[in-house]
Amino acid sequence: MKNLILIRHAKSNWDCPVKDIDRPLKQCGVNDAHLVSSHITEYLPKTYVIWSSAAKRAADTALIFAQNINFPVESIIFSNSLYTFDVDQLEKSIKSINKEYESLILFGHNAAITNFVNKFGDISIDNVPTSGFVSMSFDTDCWTKIQDGKTKKIVIPKDLK
């Protein structure tokens, strides 16, 4: 069994004149990341690894979640390959995970996250919102063979307000 949690980065600040990869979070995004991360502990597997896009907004979201779920921030794996909006690239990254890892929490970007959830999950989602949390499981022992997953839990900020 493989467990995958996809989390879309929190709301970013489009007013900052920076490159896309360097865009920071808005304060409401910081607040939403804290809100969602404080409501997910019961849905987390016992052990997991955290991967995050190297983009500032995703990395900062991952740091907020890690602090709130008591995951050592120095153990987060940041990757430029996760700075993608393409579902095929996201799938390729997920399928590259070492099979020894049973569970992964991944922080990334839309449209890749929504498209991945809809391609591999059993619940259709129009749009995974910023700070959205989607937990999925796959009945396989190898990440390269994931298919026909089960969507176990969806947590979004507006449902917690």
Side-chain angles (χ1 to χ4, degrees), residues 27-44:
Q27 186 58 50
C28 65
V30 170
N31 297 344
D32 283 350
H34 281 288
L35 178 65
V36 172
S37 62
S38 68
H39 284 84
I40 60 165
T41 51
E42 67 187 278
Y43 309 115
L44 299 177

Side-chain angles (χ1 to χ4, degrees), residues 3-161:
N3 300 296
L4 175 64
I5 295 171
L6 295 169
I7 301 172
R8 184 176 169 195
H9 66 77
K11 177 71 87 183
S12 59
N13 188 341
W14 286 83
D15 295 333
C16 294
V18 296
K19 290 188 276 184
D20 182 72
I21 196 167
D22 297 324
R23 206 161 0 104
L25 297 176
K26 289 182 85 163
Q27 186 58 50
C28 65
V30 170
N31 297 344
D32 283 350
H34 281 288
L35 178 65
V36 172
S37 62
S38 68
H39 284 84
I40 60 165
T41 51
E42 67 187 278
Y43 309 115
L44 299 177
K46 288 186 186 240
T47 61
Y48 49 87
V49 62
I50 293 181
W51 283 8
S52 175
S53 161
K56 180 167 178 48
R57 60 194 180 274
D60 288 350
T61 304
L63 291 169
I64 291 169
F65 273 75
Q67 290 169 344
N68 288 336
I69 62 175
N70 295 314
F71 185 87
V73 295
E74 65 275 5
S75 296
I76 299 171
I77 299 166
F78 298 97
S79 173
N80 286 323
S81 69
L82 296 176
Y83 176 57
T84 183
F85 312 100
D86 179 72
V87 69
D88 294 332
Q89 178 59 42
L90 181 60
E91 178 182 343
K92 181 179 175 185
S93 293
I94 291 169
K95 287 185 172 182
S96 76
I97 301 168
N98 188 316
K99 70 178 184 178
E100 74 183 56
Y101 297 117
E102 292 298 316
S103 302
L104 169 70
I105 299 175
L106 187 148
F107 292 84
H109 308 271
N110 246 4
I113 286 183
T114 296
N115 291 338
F116 186 94
V117 167
N118 288 326
K119 181 175 181 178
F120 288 95
D122 61 353
I123 297 174
S124 179
I125 301 173
D126 286 337
N127 179 52
V128 175
T130 52
S131 295
F133 168 104
V134 180
S135 174
M136 305 171 74
S137 64
F138 299 91
D139 188 16
T140 183
D141 290 331
C142 188
W143 288 101
T144 59
K145 298 178 183 175
I146 61 170
Q147 62 180 350
D148 301 326
K150 177 167 178 44
T151 304
K152 295 168 42 179
K153 185 66 180 175
I154 301 167
V155 180
I156 61 174
K158 78 173 188 172
D159 292 343
L160 301 173
K161 295 179 181 178

